[in-house]
Amino acid sequence: MTANRTFSIIKPDATRRNLTGAIVKMFEDGGLRVVASKRIHMTRAQAEGFYAVHKERPFYGELVEFMMSEPVVVQVLEGENAVLRNREIMGATNPEDADVGTVRKTHALSIGENSVHGSDSDENAAIEIAFFFTEDEIVG
Ligand code: ADP
Ligand code: MG
């Protein structure tokens, strides 16, 4: 099977607690390779645009404020079945429901401050990667 790509964000609750390396290690140990990475402080326009799909949900405002609150690390991860594999490594949205050993069970603070974002489909992965990276920034 050929490798494919997904998009990841290490969220402000994790960068604030100096967990970037610990979380990247979980991705790498889980079979994913970091092929692009940058630390950014999202603007309001970036946070609102990235999460526009959730704008009707009650937590949208809180989510945008959170994602702008501190730096994040945006990454492209590559591996077999990368989208699904990353979702397995991340665990369920609510850390209380996440499996033992996942990023969210290990590190998340709450359903909102849940340490990582990961694409939910190949189609959205492509859209999300293009939102933050140009093709020449991705070095497999
Ligand atoms: P996931 O990140 O697992 O794909 P969603 O796409 O449903 O989950 O939600 C996007 C993000 O919105 C979540 O990761 C979380 O940060 C936030 N979120 C989701 N549900 C809630 C909620 N009930 N209350 C507060 N924040 C939430
Ligand atoms: Mg989602």
Side-chain angles (χ1 to χ4, degrees):
M1 193 180 292
T2 51
N4 58 11
R5 291 171 176 172
T6 191
F7 176 73
S8 166
I9 306 176
I10 301 176
K11 294 183 177 183
D13 68 281
T15 62
R16 185 175 66 225
R17 289 176 290 148
N18 211 23
L19 293 171
T20 299
I23 291 172
V24 170
K25 181 164 169 43
M26 294 172 89
F27 296 146
E28 293 179 340
D29 288 347
L32 297 174
R33 173 177 294 269
V34 178
V35 295
S37 182
K38 58 188 170 190
R39 185 175 172 99
I40 62 169
H41 199 145
M42 277 198 205
T43 63
R44 178 173 298 279
Q46 282 176 312
E48 287 180 349
F50 183 76
Y51 281 115
V53 62
H54 293 310
K55 67 173 178 294
E56 306 306 330
R57 295 175 79 176
F59 55 82
Y60 176 69
E62 180 189 329
L63 179 59
V64 167
E65 294 297 330
F66 169 56
M67 294 302 286
M68 300 168 46
S69 66
E70 306 243 9
V72 300
V73 178
V74 292
Q75 299 191 297
V76 181
L77 306 177
E78 193 173 86
E80 279 187 19
N81 295 315
V83 168
L84 192 62
R85 187 76 200 99
N86 185 40
R87 299 288 307 194
E88 288 170 355
I89 295 166
M90 288 163 57
T93 308
N94 185 344
E96 289 179 12
D97 301 330
D99 289 340
V100 171
T102 60
V103 174
R104 284 167 165 170
K105 186 65 157 192
T106 307
H107 294 301
L109 299 176
S110 65
I111 191 170
E113 298 196 67
N114 61 0
S115 303
V116 279
H117 165 85
S119 307
D120 61 8
S121 67
D122 286 342
E123 186 190 3
N124 284 336
I127 293 167
E128 292 175 359
I129 289 168
F131 195 91
F132 286 105
F133 291 97
T134 57
E135 198 54 41
D136 67 350
E137 291 177 305
I138 304 168
V139 183

